Amino acid sequence: ETGVTQTPRHLVMGMTNKKSLKCEQHLGHNAMYWYKQSAKKPLELMFVYNFKEQTENNSVPSRFSPECPNSSHLFLHLHTLQPEDSALYLCASSQDLVEGIYEQYFGPGTRLTVT
Amino acid sequence: GESVGLHLPTLSVQEGDNSIINCAYSNSASDYFIWYKQESGKGPQFIIDIRSNMDKRQGQRVTVLLNKTVKHLSLQIAATQPGDSAVYFCAERDNFNKFYFGSGTKLNVKP
């Protein structure tokens, strides 16, 4: 256990559905991240939050909408997704974005399938 | 753009042998590198890191080597065990504090 939990672990949704992914960290960290991991492709950073403020949006389509109500929780709201959005979505946290503290702790991921 | 790649997509080793996983990066300004291990059904797990002012760093059974001249990073695992079977990938941080990840090498440890 890394101290980062994600729910659900598996999700199948149609292109017209709306769903949300949830991430919770129990490490007292201040920075949280969403990544997309597709088969045989490198991890893609999607969003970064530091102290609840979004600090990075890596040109992610608007059908993905993040929400960070506090430093321990991070959501990814999904709507009108495409089949190519099927992937493993990973959440991570780190102490913060202060210089020199980079170690990120990853959750187990949500395996998303868009039909 | 950034490019972090791996020379081999899969590596099979005998239990007890040493494993070497390689990674190439393209940005000579990158100053920090990390190796991750990802087991099936789990998220990536930090293994070891190295800063660009170092050539070598050792952990428990793992060693990371950095060759800045050829922009090459390697992960050495001593006495490889079945529990080491996983996908390993590297990450680099560029001079804009952005991380780029490799696509991974799958390590198979044969008993």
Side-chain angles (χ1 to χ4, degrees), chain A residues 83-102:
Chain A
E84 59 264 29
D85 296 323
S86 298
L88 181 69
Y89 288 84
L90 290 160
C91 173
S93 71
S94 66
Q95 186 168 333
D96 51 40
L97 298 182
V98 170
E99 182 79 17
I101 304 173
Y102 305 123

Side-chain angles (χ1 to χ4, degrees), chain B residues 69-83:
Chain B
T69 302
V70 295
K71 295 196 285 290
H72 184 267
L73 190 70
S74 69
L75 176 70
Q76 299 178 1
I77 305 173
T80 314
Q81 303 169 359

Side-chain angles (χ1 to χ4, degrees), chain A residues 18-81:
Chain A
K18 289 185 179 180
K19 296 286 184 184
S20 296
L21 310 185
K22 179 183 176 182
C23 175
E24 183 174 1
Q25 56 95 0
H26 311 274
L27 301 167
H29 289 167
N30 294 305
M32 296 188 77
Y33 312 76
W34 278 118
Y35 288 91
K36 176 183 179 183
Q37 188 175 40
S38 303
K40 299 181 181 179
K41 293 175 70 175
L43 271 180
E44 300 172 53
L45 178 65
M46 301 175 72
F47 302 104
V48 181
Y49 278 82
N50 195 38
F51 292 94
K52 301 188 298 178
E53 298 296 320
Q54 187 178 125
T55 59
E56 188 160 347
N57 177 338
N58 210 20
S59 302
V60 181
S62 60
R63 57 186 185 271
F64 294 91
S65 174
E67 179 190 0
C68 188
N70 54 62
S71 293
S72 298
H73 294 86
L74 185 65
F75 295 89
L76 188 62
H77 304 299
L78 316 171
H79 64 97
T80 60
L81 294 192

Side-chain angles (χ1 to χ4, degrees), chain A residues 9 35 37 40-43 56 58 90 99-100 102-103 106-108, chain B residues 32 36 38 41-44 46 51 89 93 97-99 101-103:
Chain A
R9 293 294 309 277
Y35 288 91
Q37 188 175 40
K40 299 181 181 179
K41 293 175 70 175
L43 271 180
E56 188 160 347
N58 210 20
L90 290 160
E99 182 79 17
Y102 305 123
E103 184 171 349
F106 285 83
Chain B
Y32 179 70
Y36 287 94
Q38 188 171 17
K42 296 184 178 180
F46 175 98
R51 297 186 186 277
F89 57 91
R93 186 187 74 136
N97 288 334
K98 291 197 71 172
F99 276 95
F101 297 84
S103 52

Side-chain angles (χ1 to χ4, degrees), chain B residues 36-84:
Chain B
Y36 287 94
K37 173 186 180 182
Q38 188 171 17
E39 297 176 87
S40 180
K42 296 184 178 180
Q45 178 187 0
F46 175 98
I47 302 174
I48 192 167
D49 60 357
I50 189 168
R51 297 186 186 277
S52 59
N53 61 352
M54 304 172 68
D55 298 321
K56 178 180 179 179
R57 188 154 190 240
Q58 288 185 287
Q60 193 174 25
R61 279 200 310 117
V62 295
T63 301
V64 55
L65 298 177
L66 176 63
N67 186 331
K68 295 180 286 293
T69 302
V70 295
K71 295 196 285 290
H72 184 267
L73 190 70
S74 69
L75 176 70
Q76 299 178 1
I77 305 173
T80 314
Q81 303 169 359
D84 295 326

